[in-house]
Each structure stands twice: as C-alpha cells, then as structure tokens.
C-alpha cells in the first residue's frame, strides 16, 4: 500500500471511530423512558393494581437501582380506568435486564403474589401497552417535581407523517421551544422520541402544573409569547409540514408515585 493511501485510510478510520465515540457519549448523557398504560376495569382491579405498584413493583425496582417511578391515574382522557407508569432508565441495557432481575427477586414475588398469580377468569388487568423513548438532547434528564404538593400532569403526543418531519419537530423543541415553555410556566417532566411503540413516528412529553388554572394561565402566556410567535412563524416549523396529530391526556399521581 502506498504511503498516501495508508494515511488516508488511517485518517478515515480515526474519523469513524471519533464519530462513533461522540455518538456514544451523547447517548450516554440521555435517558431512556418506558411508558406503560395498563387498562383496568372499575372495581377490585384498581385497588389490586395500587397494592401491587406500591408494595411490590416500586420497592423491587428501587432494589435494582431504577427510579424514580411515576404511577398515574387518568384525570381527563380516554380509557379510564387505567394506570400510566413512567419508568426512567440510564441505558437500553437497563430496560432489557429489568424483567430478568425482577424474575429472581423472591421478595418481589411474595409482595406481588395476589396481582401476579391471578387466574384467567379473574385477571389483574385487561391489557398493557408499552413504549420506549430516548430523551431529547435539549432536556436529557427527567425533572422530578415537588411530590409534597398537589400536581396535575399533562401527557402530550405529537405524531408526524415521516421520520424527517418528526426530527424537525424535535429540532424545534431543542433549539428554542423548550426554553419558551419554561419561561412561561410550562414545566416539563420529560421529552421523549419514540423508539419502539405504537403510532410511529412520534414524540411524547409530560408537563406538570399545580392545577388546571395554572395550566390555562401557562398556555395562554406561551401562545402570546413573542419568541414563540417568531419560532413558530418559520416556514420549516409550520405544523402543517411537520405534524399530523396532537393528542393529550391529563393525569393525577397516585399517593405513592415517586414523580
């Protein structure tokens, strides 16, 4: 091999390694979120689920270093009654290994026996759906609100017609919209880009308020913010170009929720 070809190949390989390491370092700064929605029926199922999450699941996850975990009931939205469960992870490996680690936790199985060992004629829940997301670079870590105060959460999902459009909306959040949110009292808990789950591609985020009056006040201030008007006025960020649907649900934390 000629010396010049050798040097070019070496530099190209070094650049590839550097890019890979940079991507890995960026990913390491970000979190992963599993968001579950457990459909229930009115009646005993609701108490059974609360007992399980409070006495078995959350303590077991704490033992393996995973948390804080949010467990929420639907305040306003479809599919009530249901539990929403937000589980933050430091890596994809954490998501993959959590179930295996719970499987060998005897204390977990004892505490959750009534929930886990239900017969087919009397199940603990109807169905459970799960999504996995990666946090936005613009808000890489989950922000836990004051759990001693009353809290109202809004969970919002933005769907796009293509991955390119989805990434454009994420860019809009990262480059200005998150900051405008915070300035106007729209306090985020997390922002997540869907990796695995339904209605792909989409992004989901959660906001927290003291109450519905605080929600109305914050959104009113945001809509009239001149920085928001300037950002949303850019043609590349027009809703018609990057969004196809927006859905939301209001959630109330359970008394034992860690978020």
């Amino acid at each position: 091999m000629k010396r010049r070809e050798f040097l070019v190949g070496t530099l190209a390989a070094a650049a590839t390694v550097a890019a890979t390491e940079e991507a890995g370092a960026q990913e390491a700064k970000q979190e992963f979120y599993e968001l579950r929605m457990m459909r229930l029926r009115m009646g005993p199922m609701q108490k059974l689920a609360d007992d399980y999450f409070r006495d078995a699941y959350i303590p077991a996850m704490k033992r393996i270093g995973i948390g804080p975990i949010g467990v929420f009931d639907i305040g306003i939205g479809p599919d009530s009654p249901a539990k929403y469960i937000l589980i933050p992870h430091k890596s994809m490996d954490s998501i993959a290994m959590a179930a295996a680690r719970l499987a060998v936790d005897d204390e977990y199985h004892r505490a959750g026996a009534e929930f886990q060992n239900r017969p087919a004629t009397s199940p603990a829940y109807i169905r459970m759906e799960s999504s996995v997301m990666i946090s936005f670079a613009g808000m890489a870590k989950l922000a836990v609100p004051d759990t001693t105060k009353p809290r109202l959460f809004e969970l919002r999902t933005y769907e796009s017609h293509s991955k390119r459009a989805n990434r454009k909306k994420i860019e809009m959040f990262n480059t200005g919209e998150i900051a405008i949110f915070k300035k106007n009292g729209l306090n985020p808990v997390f922002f997540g880009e869907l990796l695995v789950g339904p209605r792909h591609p989409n992004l989901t985020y959660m906001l927290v308020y003291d109450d519905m009056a605080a929600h109305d006040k914050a959104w009113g201030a945001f809509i009239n913010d001149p920085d928001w008007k300037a950002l949303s006025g850019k043609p590349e960020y027009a809703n018609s170009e990057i969004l196809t649907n927006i859905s939301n649900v209001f959630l109330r934390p359970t008394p034992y929720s860690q978020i």
Side-chain angles (χ1 to χ4, degrees):
M1 181 183 293
K2 295 181 181 179
R3 183 173 181 273
R4 182 178 179 183
E5 292 174 342
F6 172 78
L7 289 173
V8 170
T10 300
L11 290 171
T16 300
V17 170
T20 301
E21 290 177 346
E22 182 179 354
Q26 177 59 37
E27 183 175 287
K29 295 176 184 177
Q30 293 171 263
E31 295 179 323
F32 295 85
Y33 306 119
E34 184 180 5
L35 182 64
R36 300 179 183 179
M37 196 270 275
M38 179 182 287
R39 298 175 187 270
L40 304 170
R41 286 198 180 98
M42 294 286 186
M45 271 190 183
Q46 294 168 275
K47 181 180 184 304
L48 190 65
D50 280 322
D51 291 345
Y52 165 73
F53 285 114
R54 182 187 62 243
D55 301 332
Y57 186 77
I58 290 178
M61 292 293 271
K62 184 178 180 180
R63 287 194 292 274
I64 61 176
I66 296 175
I69 292 173
V71 184
F72 312 92
D73 291 309
I74 297 174
I76 303 172
D79 301 313
S80 183
K83 297 288 185 192
Y84 277 79
I85 307 99
L86 177 61
I87 310 163
H89 293 268
K90 295 177 182 177
S91 68
M92 287 293 285
D93 285 345
S94 173
I95 298 175
M97 295 303 296
R101 296 175 74 180
L102 290 182
V104 296
D105 186 330
D106 292 338
E107 187 175 346
Y108 164 68
H109 291 296
R110 282 194 297 270
E114 186 177 359
F115 181 89
Q116 298 182 76
N117 301 329
R118 305 293 296 180
T121 54
S122 180
Y125 57 93
I126 299 171
R127 279 292 181 270
M128 184 163 61
E129 301 170 4
S130 184
S131 300
V132 176
M133 297 169 279
I134 185 170
S135 65
F136 287 11
M139 186 173 169
K141 302 297 181 184
L142 182 143
V144 180
D146 184 349
T147 57
T148 66
K149 297 170 54 179
R151 305 175 310 286
L152 173 68
F153 294 88
E154 184 177 16
L155 188 70
R156 296 173 64 87
T157 298
Y158 291 2
E159 299 173 46
S160 299
H161 72 280
S162 70
K163 193 59 189 174
R164 182 204 63 79
N166 171 243
R167 286 176 176 154
K168 200 67 180 175
K169 182 58 187 178
I170 292 171
E171 173 188 290
M172 186 179 182
F173 273 114
N174 285 334
T175 58
E177 192 168 351
I178 293 176
I180 301 170
F181 267 25
K182 292 178 178 179
K183 181 174 68 168
N184 289 287
L186 292 169
N187 300 310
V189 176
F190 79 89
F191 287 87
E193 175 186 358
L194 183 70
L195 299 178
V196 180
R199 297 186 290 168
H200 202 283
N202 73 49
L203 65 88
T204 295
Y205 64 92
M206 178 181 275
L207 304 172
V208 62
Y209 318 92
D210 292 339
D211 49 34
M212 191 59 78
H215 161 276
D216 295 345
K217 180 180 179 181
W219 276 108
F222 171 78
I223 291 169
N224 292 302
D225 188 292
D227 291 334
W228 166 243
K229 290 182 177 181
L231 182 65
S232 60
K234 295 182 178 181
E236 66 268 30
Y237 292 147
N239 280 354
S240 59
E241 295 296 322
I242 58 178
L243 294 179
T244 57
N245 186 63
I246 297 175
S247 57
N248 69 328
V249 59
F250 290 95
L251 304 172
R252 294 285 185 186
T254 60
Y256 53 86
S257 179
Q258 297 176 323
I259 296 174

